[in-house]
Amino acid sequence: MNRNEIQLMEKGELHVHLNGLVSTDVIRNLLLRDRSDLPSGFDLERDLNISQPADSLASYLKPWQVLRLIPKSKSCLGLIVESAFLNLKYQNITFVEIRKSVIYIALLNKISVDEALYWVVSEIEEASERHKISAGLILTVSRGDYAQDHLRSLLEAYEKLGRPITVVGLDLAGNEDITSPTDTGSLFLHAKDKYGLKVTIHAGETGKIENIVSAVHEFGADRIGHGTAASKSVEVMGLLKEKDICIEVCPISNRLTNAVKKYESHPVIDFIDNNVPFVICSDNPSIHLSCLAEDYLEFYRETNSTQHLCDMYSIQKKYSFIKGLYGN
């Protein structure tokens, strides 16, 4: 299977961050237009893209030092969302679940969380209609001392806006070495029960297999983001298979973050051998100077499996949080 064949395939995207989907040329232009104060030593031409494996997850995240400086207005957010959807359309992606931290938008623009959420929801809905791409929003909460407070603020904003159907799920992300208050998981479970929101947790990306188990038992995870560490345990892979919890596999990102070392086979091979459900995703394609089709191609190089690629669209629909797609 070659790049052109993959490019033409209909695709879904279940793990992608908005600021990693917008073209980096757009980011540079916005930062320069707004005369944003860049961190000392940050070079927009050199440091905004990651094309080689980083020394650590922290160094991989260097672009976010400036990505946190935008958007500084709703119109700026509109330009970001438009660029993201143009990139989706080019990749023949027909449905997408976009992850976004709304809290930082509220802080950056000195607005309420509900207004920030309105900005994001309305821009995504308009772009979805304009480009005929079904879209859902996954609200991202960062690990740490304020995880509970931030999730409560997001859920209050979600209530104030009348529970917009575009919001389809919740995500916990960030440094897996950072702990969150002990009852954070129960708040995710409460949101699932009360609102019917789905849950995906970034877990096991940096080798901490216990975070995958916690995501399942404490957070009620419906999907696991990255989850590369699951391959270390037949028991954990069995748990995911038994509960039909899908792993969001991001082949290129996993290499660039060094979650999967250069000399290692990708854990997706173990997932295939153990019948663990998974979907192929891109994570931060523009930051990688890449796209979802390239992740498909990387998967094919790792597995030589044409069948999985041919089946991927229906699998993505099955595990999507967006209501109305096949299987949900």
Side-chain angles (χ1 to χ4, degrees):
M1 184 165 284
N2 60 43
R3 182 178 280 101
N4 288 337
E5 290 174 313
I6 291 172
Q7 181 79 18
L8 292 172
M9 296 172 72
E10 286 188 308
K11 306 174 193 69
E13 172 64 275
L14 304 188
H15 186 127
V16 67
H17 299 269
L18 179 58
N19 279 2
L21 179 57
V22 55
S23 296
T24 48
D25 284 343
V26 172
I27 294 170
R28 289 187 187 93
N29 290 338
L30 290 173
L31 290 167
L32 293 171
R33 186 197 71 177
D34 294 343
R35 299 180 181 178
S36 299
D37 292 328
L38 303 182
S40 177
F42 193 99
D43 187 309
L44 279 179
E45 297 301 323
R46 180 192 65 211
D47 297 329
L48 197 51
N49 294 107
I50 305 290
S51 58
Q52 296 296 323
D55 295 333
S56 65
L57 185 58
S59 61
Y60 168 84
L61 293 173
K62 187 172 183 178
W64 275 261
Q65 293 178 14
V66 297
L67 289 173
R68 296 190 189 100
L69 302 177
I70 55 173
K72 290 186 176 178
S73 65
K74 188 173 184 294
S75 61
C76 177
L77 176 63
L79 294 173
I80 290 170
V81 172
E82 176 66 8
S83 170
F85 271 78
L86 286 172
N87 287 339
L88 293 169
K89 192 170 186 178
Y90 176 74
Q91 286 301 305
N92 207 19
I93 292 170
T94 68
F95 64 94
V96 60
E97 295 174 13
I98 295 176
R99 295 172 194 232
K100 187 62 181 170
S101 171
V102 172
I103 297 292
Y104 98 89
I105 293 180
L107 294 172
L108 180 64
N109 289 274
K110 298 178 181 178
I111 58 177
S112 65
V113 176
D114 48 298
E115 185 173 0
L117 180 57
Y118 169 74
W119 282 14
V120 178
V121 168
S122 60
E123 292 297 341
I124 287 177
E125 287 179 347
E126 289 171 15
S128 172
E129 176 62 26
R130 191 161 55 247
H131 295 289
K132 308 305 178 189
I133 298 173
S134 298
L137 172 63
I138 295 177
L139 302 176
T140 296
V141 177
S142 296
R143 287 182 169 90
D145 293 340
Y146 298 103
Q148 279 189 344
D149 293 337
H150 289 170
L151 181 52
R152 287 193 186 96
S153 295
L154 288 169
L155 294 175
E156 288 172 6
Y158 173 71
E159 281 271 27
K160 285 183 180 179
L161 294 185
R163 304 184 186 183
I165 194 171
T166 299
V167 178
V168 296
L170 302 172
D171 173 35
L172 183 70
N175 189 334
E176 291 191 55
D177 291 325
I178 295 176
T179 58
S180 302
T182 54
D183 290 337
T184 303
S186 63
L187 194 54
F188 273 76
L189 288 171
H190 173 71
K192 282 192 71 170
D193 291 340
K194 183 174 182 179
Y195 304 115
L197 294 173
K198 298 288 189 175
V199 171
T200 174
I201 305 290
H202 280 71
E205 183 179 9
T206 54
K208 289 186 172 291
I209 198 166
E210 61 269 24
N211 286 351
I212 298 174
V213 177
S214 171
V216 173
H217 292 307
E218 297 177 29
F219 290 79
D222 300 287
R223 298 198 311 250
I224 300 292
H226 300 292
T228 52
S231 66
K232 297 178 180 179
S233 168
V234 173
E235 290 77 14
V236 171
M237 287 192 288
L239 173 68
L240 298 174
K241 177 186 174 183
E242 176 192 349
K243 291 186 174 292
D244 198 25
I245 296 172
C246 180
I247 296 182
E248 302 154 355
V249 172
C250 305
I252 291 174
S253 177
N254 295 156
R255 295 291 185 185
L256 294 178
T257 61
N258 255 323
V260 180
K261 307 299 182 187
K262 183 177 181 180
Y263 56 84
E264 295 177 333
S265 297
H266 196 284
V268 74
I269 295 173
D270 294 317
F271 302 157
I272 292 171
D273 290 343
N274 289 273
N275 295 311
V276 178
F278 68 89
V279 287
I280 303 170
C281 312
S282 66
D283 199 17
N284 296 296
S286 293
I287 298 298
H288 304 156
L289 295 171
S290 184
C291 59
L292 184 57
E294 292 294 334
D295 280 281
Y296 276 45
L297 192 59
E298 183 64 23
F299 170 85
Y300 183 67
R301 291 183 185 127
E302 296 269 3
T303 66
N304 201 35
S305 175
T306 301
Q307 190 61 52
H308 280 91
L309 291 181
C310 291
D311 293 342
M312 189 50 53
Y313 190 55
S314 61
I315 295 170
Q316 289 162 338
K317 285 183 177 181
K318 176 182 178 180
Y319 291 100
S320 174
F321 296 165
I322 301 172
K323 291 180 173 60
L325 295 177
Y326 172 78
N328 51 56

